[in-house]
Amino acid sequence: MKRPDFHIVVIGGGMVGACVAALSAANPQLTGLRIAMLEAQPPTMPPPQDGNAEIDLRVSAFSRAAERILGSVGAWPLLPAQHICAYDDMVVWDAPRQPDDPGVIRFSAGAVGEPNLGHIIENRRVQWALYECAPFREQVTLLRAELTGLEFDNERAVLSLGDGRRISAMLVIGSDGAASRSRALAGIETRGREYDQQAFVTHVRTERAHGYTAWQRFLPEGPIAFLPLADGRSSIVWTTRPEQARELVGCPVEEVSRQIGAAIGHVLGDVELAGPRGVFPLRLQHAREYCRERFVLVGDAAHAMHPLAGQGVNLGFMDCAALVQILADALSRGARAEAIAELRVLRRYERWRKSENTLALGLIDTLNRVFSNSHPLLSTARRAGLAAVEHSGLTKRFFMGRALGMRGEIPRIASRSAGWS
């Protein structure tokens, strides 16, 4: 067998791609493997950490499991404290109700003995921390190019790059997003559909403090969420009809502020637009397969979901931790390095993560279908369902456990010593 240039090549250097590269480099069972990441536009250093830098529109809610995964490679301590906002509570309610009405769901970290329910952080700062962590810097080769071709034979995968180079790998990990080129070149199809919704995003200042609480109200057109930011503002993710989302991007500041305040039911008083505006299309998508011989998918390349539960990147990080655990376990049994690319090994990862992700995608899609309409019978059922969840401690713990990444089959690196009950 001709020696490949690399044992592992990760396609795509976003948060999930950088995570799987760093985890692979940090795992003691994978020590000695040659790891590369292909990314045409690697990130630049975020603005100075003086607290005055503008917060980027793209923020995410990072779960407890994500925190542990990032901590395991040394990336979490590199995140500047003044750009991290822990949130302690979450309030969810349906449009006809007010946040203090009976039947509104209130999740609290204290109820499950957790310090918080998660952290709101800019994507770019998490991505940069992963590039800067020691395992990545010291052991991952960064290839600044685009993928243009991908071929497989019995011994290796051969990647053609946009700059004319050709490199070989034992295993290729596709982490290049929902429109994954590597997935298409590997011949893996997807199923799903475009949502008749788009996500309008911006930042706002509010008359009353956010109180380190995430607020989410379900409207007939889709949910609106207020996510607390470290500087006192809130990040807005408003899922609505495409025409309304585009209108919100272009209408006067005073009008969009008024509409946002009305949509959230003025839960924090008057709203003032305090950031740029953007709009993003939404799609439900799931790969029919997660792997082929010498090729495997993680993150949005494998599954893309509605943002209403904020679980996209968290599921991606769990994919990374599970895949690296499977690869490490294969080598710990004395197998040669070639075992990481074998289909029998990659199928273990597929069975594990595809079942977990199918459950999450189905649950979130169902919630969006049930809540994003004004049918009177469904409105009655929603109110009854929310009230039932609020009054069932066991059900609330289940949802909080899922949101924190502490329920289901959890990778060892993300688990806690005492499991959720």
Side-chain angles (χ1 to χ4, degrees):
M1 175 179 177
K2 182 180 177 181
R3 171 176 165 155
D5 298 311
F6 299 98
H7 291 94
I8 297 173
V9 173
V10 179
I11 309 298
M15 291 187 291
V16 172
C19 180
V20 75
L23 285 171
S24 300
N27 190 286
Q29 295 296 335
L30 305 183
T31 299
L33 297 190
R34 300 182 302 281
I35 302 167
M37 190 173 73
L38 186 64
E39 173 54 53
Q41 296 181 316
T44 56
M45 180 183 292
Q49 302 170 6
D50 57 6
N52 296 320
E54 179 57 53
I55 297 177
D56 192 66
L57 276 183
R58 290 184 176 270
V59 304
S60 296
F62 292 88
S63 69
R64 182 73 69 252
E67 178 184 351
R68 290 180 178 144
I69 291 168
L70 292 169
S72 73
V73 296
W76 189 264
L78 299 178
L79 295 167
Q82 63 268 43
H83 291 284
I84 300 176
C85 185
Y87 61 102
D88 306 322
D89 301 282
M90 184 172 185
V91 182
V92 181
W93 73 104
D94 200 16
R97 293 181 178 270
Q98 297 301 317
D100 54 356
D101 288 347
V104 172
I105 302 179
R106 297 172 178 84
F107 298 107
S108 173
V112 288
E114 290 287 336
N116 53 63
L117 294 178
H119 298 81
I120 309 299
I121 316 173
E122 293 167 86
N123 293 359
R124 64 182 178 180
R125 296 196 182 274
V126 173
Q127 183 185 15
W128 182 254
L130 283 162
Y131 275 67
E132 284 295 290
C133 71
F136 189 98
R137 283 190 296 105
E138 296 170 5
Q139 299 185 55
V140 177
T141 300
L142 179 59
L143 304 172
R144 299 170 183 259
E146 293 184 353
L147 177 70
T148 58
L150 184 57
E151 304 166 22
F152 300 92
D153 59 31
N154 292 332
E155 297 184 343
R156 59 183 182 163
V158 178
L159 298 84
S160 299
L161 311 187
D163 58 12
R165 284 180 291 173
R166 284 169 63 86
I167 62 170
S168 59
M170 196 171 288
L171 173 66
V172 175
I173 301 176
S175 182
D176 45 348
S180 171
R181 178 177 293 180
S182 66
R183 183 187 64 224
L185 290 171
I188 295 178
E189 298 180 346
T190 64
R191 57 180 181 273
R193 69 180 188 280
E194 299 288 341
Y195 282 109
D196 188 26
Q197 297 170 315
Q198 292 185 350
F200 168 75
V201 295
T202 190
H203 304 320
V204 298
R205 292 188 180 89
T206 53
E207 183 180 4
R208 292 190 289 276
H210 54 54
Y212 302 99
T213 298
W215 308 85
Q216 181 161 278
R217 187 188 192 198
F218 284 101
L219 303 168
E221 296 80 18
I224 181 170
F226 273 38
L227 306 176
L229 297 175
D231 67 356
R233 290 182 293 172
S234 294
S235 175
I236 306 306
V237 182
W238 185 356
T239 302
T240 187
R241 301 184 312 276
E243 58 272 20
Q244 184 180 14
R246 292 190 293 268
E247 177 186 314
L248 289 166
V249 170
C251 69
V253 169
E254 296 78 9
E255 175 60 18
V256 72
S257 298
R258 185 195 65 77
Q259 290 194 42
I260 292 172
I264 201 67
H266 298 288
V267 66
L268 297 177
D270 291 338
V271 169
E272 176 189 355
L273 195 70
R277 292 176 260 179
V279 63
F280 302 99
L282 303 178
R283 178 173 177 77
L284 173 68
Q285 181 173 281
H286 206 184
R288 292 185 179 275
E289 302 166 90
Y290 278 23
C291 60
R292 296 281 177 87
E293 191 91 20
R294 305 194 179 283
F295 182 79
V296 65
L297 295 169
V298 294
D300 284 358
H303 46 80
M305 59 171 35
H306 197 283
L308 74 84
Q311 287 299 301
V313 70
N314 294 304
L315 291 178
F317 283 168
M318 295 288 266
D319 290 348
C320 297
L323 175 61
V324 172
Q325 178 177 317
I326 291 291
L327 300 182
D329 285 352
L331 296 189
S332 71
R333 292 189 286 270
R336 296 186 302 167
E338 289 83 351
I340 65 170
E342 293 177 1
L343 190 58
R344 64 179 181 83
V345 172
L346 301 178
R347 288 289 189 202
R348 295 174 195 152
Y349 158 78
E350 180 183 58
R351 288 191 295 270
W352 178 357
R353 291 306 301 163
K354 194 172 186 180
S355 61
E356 290 285 332
N357 292 330
T358 297
L359 175 63
L361 266 67
L363 176 60
I364 292 169
D365 183 55
T366 299
L367 287 173
N368 185 58
R369 288 172 179 267
V370 169
F371 281 92
S372 298
N373 65 75
S374 55
H375 193 285
L377 291 179
L378 281 177
S379 296
T380 301
R382 288 198 301 264
R383 289 194 292 273
L386 288 171
V389 172
E390 171 61 17
H391 291 96
S392 171
L394 185 63
T395 304
K396 287 176 73 172
R397 285 178 64 84
F398 170 82
F399 280 115
M400 281 191 281
R402 277 282 172 182
L404 285 161
M406 295 292 102
R407 279 192 178 273
E409 189 177 355
I410 307 303
R412 290 191 295 269
I413 208 165
S415 64
R416 55 190 290 170
S417 56
W420 276 73
S421 59

